[in-house]
């Protein structure tokens, strides 16, 4: 990236380049296949089985297999998937043009695990500490993404959705969902790197998934294709952690409303 060259103390530059490469690869596949499909419909080239399947998927408002193979995990229909892709590309473009954002849209990453690793790597290089001894502490913030500033260490993330419970801003803890309320927005979270962190009491370890599937497979990088991170969310004394486990409380980067 010309405007923000790779530096040893800033791993996010590498994360940005890798994200841009992944999205560009997807966009290139979409442009090429759409042009081929248009030519096939005009009778200029033979309609292959892949192009026929692609046309059928688009007619049924489904993401074509050819695109899904190069894309991030998603359960959205094609119309919503396209809008989401535009938002993701705008997020990466704004990052490239305007430097690091004050808070990161965690749902906008193609591979969020690399972003989380980069956050830990920045902290390790800044303080000359072994990255193996560093893990995340979590703090739920009161400010909105537009109001919050850049933290001294770690990152602010937003864009998560909560299922099975909701966040109580007054109690500053998990509270029961309202009737007929399936998903709720989760506030900004400060991912704060800590050395030799011990898990605190009075928290619920909520898994964070990319999609509502709640299942994934291990990729070649050793990361799950769906699970992102386990988030410690404060709970009050009236309920134990088991109470929220039985309700299946989890956070998601993507929900279909």
């Amino acid at each position: 990236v010309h405007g923000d060259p790779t530096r040893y103390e800033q791993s996010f530059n590498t994360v940005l380049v890798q994200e841009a490469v992944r999205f560009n690869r997807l966009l290139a596949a979409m442009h090429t296949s759409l042009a081929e499909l248009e030519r096939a419909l005009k009778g200029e080239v033979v309609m292959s089985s892949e192009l026929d399947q692609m046309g059928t998927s688009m007619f049924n408002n489904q993401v074509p297999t050819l695109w899904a193979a190069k894309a991030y995990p998603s359960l959205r229909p094609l119309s919503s998937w396209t809008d989401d892709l535009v938002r993701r590309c705008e997020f990466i473009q704004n990052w490239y043009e305007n430097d690091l954002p004050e808070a990161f849209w965690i749902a906008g990453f193609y591979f969020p695990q690399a972003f989380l690793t980069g956050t830990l790597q920045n902290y390790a290089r800044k303080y000359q500490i072994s990255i193996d001894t560093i893990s995340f502490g979590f703090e739920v913030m009161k400010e909105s993404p537009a109001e919050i500033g850049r933290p001294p260490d770690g990152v602010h993330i937003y864009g998560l959705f909560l299922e099975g419970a909701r966040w109580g801003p007054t109690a500053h803890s998990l509270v029961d969902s309202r009737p007929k309320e399936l998903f709720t927005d989760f506030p900004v979270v400060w991912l704060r790197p800590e050395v030799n962190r011990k898990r605190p009491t009075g928290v619920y370890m909520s898994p964070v998934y990319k999609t509502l599937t709640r299942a994934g497979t291990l990729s070649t990088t050793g990361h799950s294709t769906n699970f992102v991170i386990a988030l410690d969310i404060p709970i009050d004394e009236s309920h134990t952690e088991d109470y929220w486990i039985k309700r299946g409380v989890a956070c998601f980067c993507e929900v279909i409303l």
Side-chain angles (χ1 to χ4, degrees):
V1 179
H2 302 294
D4 199 8
T6 301
R7 302 194 305 271
Y8 175 78
E9 66 275 10
Q10 185 52 275
S11 299
F12 287 154
N13 299 322
T14 303
V15 174
L16 175 58
V17 171
Q18 291 175 347
E19 288 289 309
V21 168
R22 292 186 181 101
F23 280 112
N24 284 337
R25 189 181 296 125
L26 170 60
L27 293 174
M30 292 174 65
H31 291 161
T32 302
S33 58
L34 284 171
E36 286 296 311
L37 178 61
E38 184 178 12
R39 293 184 63 196
L41 291 173
K42 290 179 180 179
E44 297 176 359
V45 296
V46 176
M47 177 72 76
S48 66
S49 58
E50 282 188 347
L51 292 177
D52 181 57
Q53 184 183 28
M54 175 180 165
T56 302
S57 296
M58 295 177 69
F59 181 79
N60 294 328
N61 197 25
Q62 297 173 342
V63 180
T65 305
L66 193 64
W67 299 356
K70 296 183 180 296
Y72 42 86
S74 178
L75 302 178
R76 295 177 181 270
L78 180 60
S79 55
S80 176
W81 183 88
T82 306
D83 291 338
D84 180 64
L85 176 60
V86 171
R87 287 186 61 203
R88 289 173 186 252
C89 291
E90 288 175 348
F91 167 66
I92 297 299
Q93 187 69 29
N94 288 335
W95 181 358
Y96 167 68
E97 294 177 351
N98 304 314
D99 201 6
L100 291 172
E102 303 294 326
F104 291 86
W105 181 37
I106 189 68
F109 285 96
Y110 190 112
F111 188 56
Q113 291 92 332
F115 165 71
L116 299 176
T117 302
T119 304
L120 296 177
Q121 203 168 57
N122 279 349
Y123 185 85
R125 291 175 174 178
K126 179 180 179 180
Y127 295 101
Q128 299 295 306
I129 302 171
S130 171
I131 194 172
D132 295 335
T133 64
I134 305 172
S135 58
F136 283 119
F138 307 95
E139 183 176 341
V140 182
M141 310 301 290
K142 296 180 180 179
E143 297 88 350
S144 68
E147 299 169 340
I148 206 160
R150 193 174 298 165
D153 292 309
V155 291
H156 290 133
I157 63 169
Y158 68 95
L160 294 177
F161 299 90
L162 194 61
E163 181 184 27
R166 62 185 174 90
W167 178 252
T170 303
H172 201 72
S173 65
L174 283 181
V175 295
D176 287 314
S177 300
R178 298 184 181 94
K180 299 182 181 180
E181 189 177 57
L182 188 57
F183 303 107
T184 56
D185 293 333
F186 198 70
V188 175
V189 181
W190 179 11
L191 303 184
R192 184 179 58 245
E194 298 178 4
V195 180
N196 297 321
R197 177 179 181 266
K198 294 183 179 179
R199 185 165 177 258
T201 57
V203 295
Y204 167 68
M205 185 182 288
S206 170
V208 178
Y209 298 102
K210 296 178 185 177
T211 69
L212 293 172
T213 308
R214 294 195 182 215
T217 57
L218 284 179
S219 62
T220 54
T221 61
H223 295 91
S224 170
T225 55
N226 196 23
F227 176 77
V228 179
I229 192 175
L231 197 68
D232 286 340
I233 303 177
I235 57 177
D236 59 26
E237 298 178 353
S238 61
H239 298 304
T240 64
E241 188 174 13
D242 289 342
Y243 177 85
W244 302 109
I245 291 174
K246 292 176 181 177
R247 275 156 179 73
V249 176
C251 289
F252 300 92
C253 296
E254 171 192 278
V255 297
I256 304 172
L257 302 175

